[in-house]
Amino acid sequence: MGLFDFFKKKPVEDIVEIEVLYPSSWENGMPPVKVVVVEVLQPMPGKAVDIILPIRNTTETETETETETETETETETETETETENASQKLDSGLSKTKKTWSERWNAFMANFRSVDEDFFDDLEETLIGADVGAQTAIQITEELRDEVKLQNAKSKQEVSAVIVDKLVSLYRSQGIDEDASMHFAPQGPTVILLVGVNGVGKTTTIGKLSAYYKNAGKKVVLAAADTFRAGATEQLVAWGERNGVPVVTGTAKADPASVVFDGVKTAIDTQADILFVDTAGRLQNNVNLMQELAKMKRIITRELPNEPQEVLLALDATTGQNAVQQAKLFKDSTDVTGIILTKLDGTAKGGIILPIRNELHLPVKWVGLGENVTDIQPFEANDFAKSLFGSLLTE
């Protein structure tokens, strides 16, 4: 029912002349006159209707502002949560390594009597047993001799605090001039080669990295250039299907360089952001393998002069010092830009990160912490040091 249906109409017979005030044409110099019949509407008793005029609602504006603020706060909270989750995942992944460190350290300090030559000999053995490598252990021990004397530490607690503090300090100082960031091409696709021996988890790592960057909004292409290992291509294709990422393949035992060529062409034609190349992983000192890698790089450079941006060496953390030897051989044979340390959650030998940084001066850029597609994260040196040594600092 309309508002005016509540009113009773009463016709008026008198004619009212109305002067029209809006512009109109004049005739004979006289203003126009318009005659209309006007109805007078009168309300019916008992039928009054309350009319509520609209009022500007300042609460809505305040609510919108509050909502925007809440949204920003939620975004900040989500970022903080992601950081916390990454830190927690690293703590969990290093649990076996931390346990080994703590056990060895507690056993070492339980035999503490005084700071003498036997003390430093035992310290050196303890560090070597914790997979920091002989060269790194000797260097750390020598530096700790001076540090303990300098601070005049005598009690077990004082000595322990000085040594662990020095370990953390040395570890962090190794990464001061280290470039652990990922490099990307300013234009066109970025090519990232993954190298390493068979069994270290290269293909799985590529699958994880492709999902990581696709979730970050990047367009990713994979090239299955490990054409000689049985099942390598099929494994990468399975990862591609799982992540919704195209995979460039060749025939079994095809020339790996030809697959790389096709991969580069596909990345350019589809305007991809990143091309990951899975390479062969036969014995790291195999001359043919190194020549093969060199050939791949020549083909890539011919099509994209500034590529590859990254040559990442995958190392299996569970192999301990063997991983360090692999890194040395690959570094001598190809331009490795960084390390991906895989299977860190399944080993007590996470201490190999120290000799990798100290002896090889190669940045660890990624760490694998499990079997799930999301179980990979950028390596943060400070978080690692805090997680590895933190419990010892509080004991």
Side-chain angles (χ1 to χ4, degrees), residues 130-178:
D131 277 289
V132 303
Q135 180 180 329
T136 303
I138 293 171
Q139 177 185 336
I140 291 175
T141 302
E142 288 302 316
E143 293 187 22
L144 284 171
R145 287 176 190 271
D146 298 332
E147 193 70 23
V148 171
K149 292 176 182 177
L150 182 65
Q151 298 196 27
N152 196 27
K154 295 179 179 179
S155 70
K156 180 186 295 187
Q157 290 75 17
E158 289 174 337
V159 172
S160 179
V162 169
I163 293 176
V164 175
D165 208 31
K166 186 64 175 177
L167 281 171
V168 175
S169 176
L170 285 171
Y171 176 78
R172 287 176 172 166
S173 67
Q174 291 169 3
I176 290 177
D177 298 323
E178 186 177 84

Side-chain angles (χ1 to χ4, degrees), residues 83-84 86-88 90-91 94 98 171-172 377-390:
T83 303
E84 289 175 0
S87 180
Q88 291 171 357
L90 181 61
D91 277 340
L94 285 173
K98 287 191 295 183
Y171 176 78
R172 287 176 172 166
Q377 65 186 55
F379 176 73
E380 294 291 343
N382 287 339
D383 290 344
F384 180 85
K386 180 181 177 182
S387 182
L388 185 58
F389 303 115

Side-chain angles (χ1 to χ4, degrees), residues 306-319:
N306 296 322
E307 301 300 319
Q309 289 285 334
E310 298 281 357
V311 178
L312 301 178
L313 172 60
L315 297 175
D316 183 346
T318 64
T319 61

Side-chain angles (χ1 to χ4, degrees), residues 33 57 64 76-77 93 95 98 113 124 142 149 186 193 195 216 249 260 291 305 316 342 379 381 385 392:
V33 177
N57 190 351
E64 289 174 1
E76 292 174 359
T77 304
S95 59
K98 287 191 295 183
R113 294 294 179 269
E124 188 176 300
E142 288 302 316
K149 292 176 182 177
L193 284 176
V195 301
T249 62
V260 172
Q291 291 176 345
D316 183 346
T342 67
F379 176 73
L392 299 180

Side-chain angles (χ1 to χ4, degrees), residues 84-259:
E84 289 175 0
N85 289 340
S87 180
Q88 291 171 357
K89 187 172 287 187
L90 181 61
D91 277 340
S92 176
L94 285 173
S95 59
K96 292 183 179 180
T97 299
K98 287 191 295 183
K99 185 172 183 291
T100 299
W101 268 95
S102 296
E103 289 175 351
R104 289 183 180 277
W105 189 256
N106 291 334
F108 167 67
M109 293 307 298
N111 295 324
F112 175 82
R113 294 294 179 269
S114 62
V115 181
D116 52 19
E117 284 304 310
D118 289 338
F119 171 84
F120 287 108
D121 288 342
D122 290 343
L123 173 61
E124 188 176 300
E125 290 181 10
T126 300
L127 293 174
I128 293 174
D131 277 289
V132 303
Q135 180 180 329
T136 303
I138 293 171
Q139 177 185 336
I140 291 175
T141 302
E142 288 302 316
E143 293 187 22
L144 284 171
R145 287 176 190 271
D146 298 332
E147 193 70 23
V148 171
K149 292 176 182 177
L150 182 65
Q151 298 196 27
N152 196 27
K154 295 179 179 179
S155 70
K156 180 186 295 187
Q157 290 75 17
E158 289 174 337
V159 172
S160 179
V162 169
I163 293 176
V164 175
D165 208 31
K166 186 64 175 177
L167 281 171
V168 175
S169 176
L170 285 171
Y171 176 78
R172 287 176 172 166
S173 67
Q174 291 169 3
I176 290 177
D177 298 323
E178 186 177 84
D179 183 7
S181 63
M182 291 289 287
H183 298 149
F184 294 92
Q187 291 182 341
T190 293
V191 181
I192 300 176
L193 284 176
L194 260 77
V195 301
V197 301
N198 286 337
V200 296
K202 288 196 309 296
T203 307
T204 298
T205 299
I206 288 180
K208 292 178 180 179
L209 287 175
S210 64
Y212 180 94
Y213 281 109
K214 184 183 179 184
N215 291 337
K218 302 291 185 182
K219 187 173 183 180
V220 180
V221 174
L222 309 182
D226 188 359
T227 58
F228 290 94
R229 181 170 67 87
T233 297
E234 291 76 7
Q235 185 183 359
L236 195 64
V237 168
W239 273 108
E241 292 174 349
R242 179 178 180 179
N243 297 331
V245 172
V247 182
V248 178
T249 62
T251 59
K253 297 185 180 180
D255 181 5
S258 67
V259 180

Side-chain angles (χ1 to χ4, degrees), residues 273-345:
D273 297 306
I274 302 174
L275 169 65
F276 284 106
V277 178
D278 188 14
T279 66
R282 294 184 298 279
L283 291 177
Q284 67 273 18
N285 55 358
N286 186 310
V287 175
N288 291 334
L289 174 58
M290 297 310 168
Q291 291 176 345
E292 192 175 276
L293 290 174
K295 183 179 178 181
M296 289 181 186
K297 291 180 71 173
R298 286 197 302 272
I299 288 174
I300 294 169
T301 304
R302 189 172 63 201
E303 302 298 325
L304 298 167
N306 296 322
E307 301 300 319
Q309 289 285 334
E310 298 281 357
V311 178
L312 301 178
L313 172 60
L315 297 175
D316 183 346
T318 64
T319 61
Q321 290 302 306
N322 285 338
V324 178
Q325 296 304 315
Q326 291 173 22
K328 288 179 179 178
L329 290 167
F330 268 99
K331 184 183 179 184
D332 292 340
S333 304
T334 190
D335 299 324
V336 177
T337 59
I339 301 291
I340 300 178
L341 199 58
T342 67
K343 309 177 188 178
L344 192 60
D345 60 308

